[in-house]
C-alpha cells in the first residue's frame, strides 16, 4: 500500500479497538443496532466512529488474516455510508506499529519451560484433557493409578495441574470434599518421606518422623490407621517419580514395606483412599521385582503418549492468550510440525 493510503495517524488516533476480537464485537453490535433501527443521524455517526476507530486498529494487527478480516469490516460500513449518500472517511487500515506492542513483565510468562506444572499453574495447563479424562475413568474403577510416561512427557504435570484440580472440582462423586495430601517423591528413605506427607499439619519435623516410619516398616497395613483424621473422608496420596523407590532406596526391607504400604492402602476393603503414582517408562522393568505390584500393574496404569496436533496447538497458544501474547503468523504451525510425535 502507498504512503498516501496511510497518512500519519496511529499515534494521533488514540481511539482504537485493542484487538480484532473487540473490533468484531463492535461490528456485531453496530450491525444489530442498524438492523433494528435502520438509518438515522445517530446511526450514521456511529458508522463514522466505527470506521475511524477500526482504521486505527490496524496499528496493533500484524497477521495478514487478521488485517483482511478487519479490512472487510471497514469496507462493509464504508459501502453502507456510500449507499446512503454520506461522506466516508478514510477506511484503509493504518500500518502495523510494533512499538505499540505492550510490555510483558517477566513474572507473567505463562510457560513452564522444563519445569513441571504444579496445582498453582493449572490456569496455564492445556492440551491434556483427553489424558485427564482417561485418568479419571481409571480412578472410577480402581483406587490405585499408575501414570507411566517417558522422561519429559508431562506425566507429573498431568497429575498435578490436570487430574488433582479436576478431582478438587468434583470430577468424581464426592471428590471435592476429599483430603489432598502433599505430593512427595520417595527419595533415599521413602518411608520417612511418606510419614512426612501423611503427618498432621505442623508436626512433620524430621526428628518425629522416624517412629511412624518404623511402624510402617514393621506393619505396612498401619498406613490406613495413621491416615485417620477423625472423619471418613478419603485421602488422596500422590507419589511422584515412583522409580526413585528402585533407584535411590538401597534398603530392600524399606523398599518392600513402602510399596506394600501403598498397595495395601489402595486395596483396603474398608477404606476409600486413593494412591496415585507417576513413573518413568524406562523403569517399568523394575515392577517385575515386586510380584504383587506386577500383578495389578496392567489394570492400574495409564500411559502418557505424545500429544496430537490439536493438543499441541492448545498447549502453545492458550497460555499466550491468557496474557495477551500473539505469535508470528505461521510460527505455531511450524512448532507443531517440529514437535509432533516427540515423546
Amino acid at each position: 500500500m502507498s504512503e498516501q493510503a496511510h497518512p500519519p495517524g496511529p499515534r494521533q488516533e488514540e481511539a482504537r479497538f485493542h484487538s480484532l476480537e473487540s473490533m468484531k464485537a463492535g461490528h456485531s453490535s453496530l450491525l444489530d443496532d442498524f438492523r433494528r433501527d435502520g438509518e438515522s443521524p445517530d446511526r450514521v455517526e456511529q458508522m463514522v466512529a466505527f470506521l475511524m476507530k477500526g482504521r486505527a486498529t490496524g496499528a496493533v494487527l500484524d497477521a495478514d488474516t487478521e488485517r483482511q478480516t478487519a479490512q472487510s469490516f471497514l469496507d462493509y460500513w464504508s459501502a453502507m455510508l456510500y449507499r446512503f449518500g454520506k461522506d466516508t472517511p478514510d477506511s484503509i487500515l493504518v500500518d502495523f506499529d510494533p512499538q505499540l506492542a505492550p510490555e510483558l513483565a517477566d513474572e507473567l510468562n505463562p510457560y513452564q519451560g522444563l519445569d513441571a506444572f504444579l496445582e498453582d499453574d493449572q490456569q496455564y495447563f492445556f492440551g491434556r484433557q483427553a489424558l485427564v479424562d482417561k485418568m479419571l475413568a481409571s480412578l472410577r474403577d480402581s483406587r490405585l493409578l499408575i501414570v507411566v510416561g517417558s522422561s519429559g512427557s508431562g506425566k507429573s504435570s498431568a497429575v498435578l495441574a490436570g487430574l488433582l484440580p479436576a478431582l478438587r472440582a468434583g470430577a468424581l462423586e464426592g471428590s471435592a470434599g476429599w483430603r489432598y495430601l502433599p505430593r512427595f517423591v520417595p527419595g533415599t528413605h521413602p518411608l520417612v518421606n511418606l510419614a512426612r506427607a501423611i503427618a498432621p499439619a505442623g508436626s512433620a519435623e524430621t526428628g518425629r518422623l522416624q517412629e511412624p516410619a518404623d511402624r510402617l516398616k514393621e506393619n505396612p497395613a498401619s498406613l490406613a490407621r495413621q491416615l485417620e483424621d477423625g472423619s471418613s473422608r478419603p485421602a488422596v496420596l500422590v507419589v511422584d517419580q515412583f522409580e526413585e523407590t528402585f533407584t535411590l532406596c538401597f534398603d530392600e526391607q524399606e523398599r518392600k514395606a513402602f510399596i506394600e504400604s501403598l498397595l495395601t492402602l489402595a486395596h483396603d476393603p474398608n477404606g476409600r483412599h486413593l494412591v496415585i503414582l507417576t513413573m518413568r517408562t524406562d523403569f517399568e522393568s523394575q515392577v517385575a521385582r515386586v510380584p504383587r505390584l506386577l500383578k495389578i500393574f496392567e489394570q492400574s496404569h495409564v500411559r502418557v503418549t505424545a500429544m496430537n496436533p490439536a493438543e499441541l496447538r492448545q498447549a502453545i497458544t492458550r497460555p499466550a492468550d491468557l496474557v495477551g501474547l500473539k505469535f508470528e503468523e505461521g510460527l505455531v504451525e511450524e512448532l507443531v510440525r517440529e514437535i509432533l510425535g516427540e515423546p
Side-chain angles (χ1 to χ4, degrees):
M1 295 182 183
S2 67
E3 272 185 38
Q4 225 170 3
H6 301 286
R11 285 186 174 77
Q12 285 72 36
E13 295 174 284
E14 295 180 0
R16 64 171 68 88
F17 296 101
H18 68 269
S19 68
L20 178 62
E21 290 304 315
S22 60
M23 187 175 179
K24 284 181 182 178
H27 168 74
S28 296
S29 177
L30 181 55
L31 197 59
D32 289 342
D33 290 344
F34 179 78
R35 286 170 176 167
R36 184 183 64 246
D37 303 330
E39 182 194 355
S40 69
D42 287 345
R43 204 65 63 228
V44 169
E45 189 175 325
Q46 284 182 304
M47 293 181 196
V48 172
F50 178 88
L51 286 172
M52 296 178 65
K53 190 174 179 180
R55 176 179 178 275
T57 304
V60 296
L61 302 178
D62 58 332
D64 289 344
T65 52
E66 287 191 337
R67 294 185 67 83
Q68 289 167 5
T69 301
Q71 188 60 58
S72 69
F73 295 149
L74 298 180
D75 292 344
Y76 178 88
W77 291 112
S78 180
M80 193 65 70
L81 284 173
Y82 180 80
R83 173 182 165 190
F84 294 126
K86 308 296 182 183
D87 292 334
T88 59
D90 188 350
S91 59
I92 301 298
L93 284 172
V94 301
D95 289 328
F96 172 67
D97 185 349
Q99 294 184 17
L100 293 179
E103 292 288 332
L104 184 71
D106 289 342
E107 59 268 20
L108 293 180
N109 178 6
Y111 297 105
Q112 294 298 102
L114 296 178
D115 295 332
F117 286 83
L118 304 178
E119 280 199 73
D120 290 343
D121 308 311
Q122 61 182 278
Q123 71 270 28
Y124 297 125
F125 184 71
F126 293 99
R128 283 299 195 183
Q129 189 57 52
L131 175 60
V132 171
D133 290 342
K134 189 180 295 186
M135 291 189 287
L136 289 170
S138 179
L139 286 174
R140 289 187 180 95
D141 299 325
S142 170
R143 291 187 285 119
L144 173 66
L145 171 64
I146 307 172
V147 182
V148 182
S150 58
S151 178
S153 61
K155 51 192 178 298
S156 296
S157 297
V159 169
L160 302 177
L163 177 61
L164 291 186
L167 290 173
R168 288 184 186 272
L172 297 183
E173 184 178 357
S175 63
W178 292 350
R179 283 185 292 153
Y180 293 87
L181 303 174
R183 147 259 195 185
F184 72 99
V185 296
T188 307
H189 298 291
L191 287 178
V192 172
N193 290 325
L194 173 57
R196 179 181 292 108
I198 66 174
S203 63
E205 297 176 16
T206 303
R208 299 180 180 179
L209 297 175
Q210 194 58 55
E211 182 182 345
D214 289 341
R215 289 203 304 269
L216 289 170
K217 195 170 187 178
E218 294 171 7
N219 180 16
S222 68
L223 178 56
R225 289 195 298 274
Q226 294 191 42
L227 270 175
E228 291 177 0
D229 68 341
S231 74
S232 59
R233 293 186 304 156
V236 179
L237 184 65
V238 177
V239 185
D240 204 7
Q241 300 175 41
F242 180 67
E243 67 274 3
E244 289 187 1
T245 309
F246 303 103
T247 61
L248 296 182
C249 178
F250 300 107
D251 183 330
E252 185 68 31
Q253 187 181 356
E254 181 171 5
R255 179 191 302 121
K256 182 178 178 181
F258 176 66
I259 296 174
E260 192 65 24
S261 296
L262 299 177
L263 297 182
T264 301
L265 181 69
H267 293 91
D268 180 0
N270 299 316
R272 295 188 298 149
H273 304 302
L274 276 69
V275 177
I276 301 170
L277 315 176
T278 71
M279 182 178 181
R280 279 172 51 179
T281 306
D282 45 341
F283 289 98
E284 278 187 71
S285 60
Q286 299 291 335
V287 173
R289 296 170 59 181
V290 186
R292 187 181 178 193
L293 178 59
L294 178 63
K295 185 177 180 180
I296 63 176
F297 181 81
E298 283 303 319
Q299 289 75 39
S300 302
H301 85 278
V302 168
R303 198 168 296 280
V304 178
T305 57
M307 302 170 82
N308 64 37
E311 291 172 331
L312 285 170
R313 288 188 193 94
Q314 287 185 21
I316 293 169
T317 62
R318 294 291 295 280
D321 292 342
L322 291 177
V323 295
L325 286 172
K326 294 173 61 179
F327 286 88
E328 288 183 22
E329 193 165 15
L331 179 57
V332 172
E333 291 307 313
E334 184 178 342
L335 287 170
V336 170
R337 282 195 301 271
E338 296 219 0
I339 303 169
L340 191 60
E342 292 294 330

